[in-house]
Amino acid sequence: MVTNIHCKELGKSYKGNGVVTHAVQNININFTKGEFSAIIGPSGSGKSTLLSLIGTLDQPTSGSILYDGEDIMTKSKKKVADFRFEEIGFIFQQFHLLPTLTALENVLTPLFARNVSYNKQERAKEVLEQVGLADKLNSLPSQLSGGQQQRVAIARAIVHKPSWLLADEPTGNLDTETGELIFDLLQQLNTQEGCGILFVTHDPKLAQKANRIVSMKDGVILSETGGERV
Ligand code: ADP
């Protein structure tokens, strides 16, 4: 159970056609489990890159991220994948559900070929119930509304009991009211399960509801309220 994520002089650059883009640079920040952080900033400011780096989906080009003091990216691919399975759940703007699988089958996908101590079917049903979809277990994504599809995606993100939820514009494809309901659901997971949540959003009204706001521009952190700056 990782309780602290420490980004240290973190940077990610891309080279192409002789041009270097610093997607994020010189990021120094601490996230503590149990916090609900909103990450805001204009398009291209590095929000998704920061989330991918923290989620171990991407390698930094400078600096490091320490998870309870350990630099996971220096370990083997298998260790990184196991770490991600144990610690991190992702939610995206596009729900990324598999269209031919039911809600229940979609939620079961992260558990495929994994040894876990609980009953997979029971756990998947439990999380679908938790997100308010107990009556939609056998529905295909095409039979669900956008908000319901995002709820399935949230159930899939939490089925393996991660300590951290990384959400990249999860309300970006939803109307305001549905977006607020999804935000409230994540807030509930934060308070009830103690998940650390990093929530990327364009919506300043939603961001105001988080206990911490990290504001990014041109790959750097411009300002921050709450939490602990290092
Ligand atoms: P945001 O999520 O805030 O919109 P991103 O993290 O997606 O910002 O992108 C930050 C910057 O990095 C942008 O200038 C973007 O064009 C660039 N970038 C992101 N991914 C890549 C990539 N794979 N190759 C080249 N440039 C990239």
Side-chain angles (χ1 to χ4, degrees):
M1 282 265 172
V2 166
T3 57
N4 181 268
I5 298 178
H6 179 187
C7 302
K8 205 172 151 191
E9 308 290 323
L10 184 67
K12 175 79 186 178
S13 308
Y14 295 99
K15 275 188 202 141
N17 298 329
V19 182
V20 179
T21 306
H22 299 290
V24 298
Q25 51 185 328
N26 194 30
I27 301 276
N28 290 294
I29 194 166
N30 251 321
F31 295 101
T32 306
K33 188 168 177 275
E35 275 176 355
F36 194 121
S37 303
I39 302 175
I40 59 169
S43 192
S45 57
K47 306 180 299 296
S48 296
T49 303
L50 179 62
L51 225 55
S52 295
L53 291 167
I54 290 175
T56 70
L57 292 177
D58 217 347
Q59 281 269 9
T61 43
S62 59
S64 58
I65 307 178
L66 302 177
Y67 303 85
D68 285 346
E70 194 177 8
D71 186 354
I72 296 297
M73 293 312 267
T74 60
K75 312 280 183 207
S76 68
K77 273 193 178 156
K78 168 150 187 351
K79 278 241 161 75
V80 174
D82 288 347
F83 170 85
R84 201 183 301 133
F85 177 73
E86 278 158 26
E87 299 290 346
I88 293 173
F90 291 98
I91 308 159
F92 301 96
Q93 179 173 355
Q94 320 288 347
F95 320 122
H96 292 314
L97 298 178
L98 294 170
T100 57
L101 301 186
T102 64
L104 185 65
E105 290 164 343
N106 265 289
V107 172
L108 280 165
T109 54
L111 303 179
F112 180 72
R114 289 277 174 186
N115 281 323
V116 290
S117 58
Y118 44 85
N119 179 296
K120 293 180 182 180
Q121 288 274 337
E122 291 308 314
R123 173 68 185 154
K125 283 183 191 165
E126 179 183 282
V127 286
L128 276 164
E129 201 169 306
Q130 202 174 349
V131 301
L133 293 179
D135 57 341
K136 301 287 181 193
L137 303 185
N138 297 315
S139 301
L140 292 170
S142 60
Q143 297 167 321
L144 299 171
S145 69
Q148 288 170 333
Q149 289 183 60
Q150 193 60 299
R151 282 170 190 272
V152 175
I154 292 172
R156 181 184 55 189
I158 60 173
V159 72
H160 50 104
K161 309 183 182 187
S163 316
W164 298 84
L165 273 182
L166 308 185
D168 198 350
E169 302 245 16
T171 60
N173 266 345
L174 305 172
D175 61 75
T176 309
E177 197 183 331
T178 311
E180 279 177 10
L181 290 172
I182 290 295
F183 183 92
D184 292 346
L185 174 61
L186 291 174
Q187 211 163 32
Q188 198 182 317
L189 291 170
N190 171 246
T191 46
Q192 287 175 3
E193 317 276 323
C195 272
I197 299 190
L198 275 62
F199 182 93
V200 168
T201 182
H202 266 111
D203 185 340
K205 255 178 77 189
L206 279 185
Q208 288 301 332
K209 290 164 78 174
N211 22 78
R212 183 180 188 194
I213 303 177
V214 177
S215 172
M216 294 187 71
K217 193 175 179 214
D218 297 334
V220 300
I221 294 177
L222 269 192
S223 67
E224 199 192 318
T225 60
E228 188 192 345
R229 192 74 189 270
V230 287

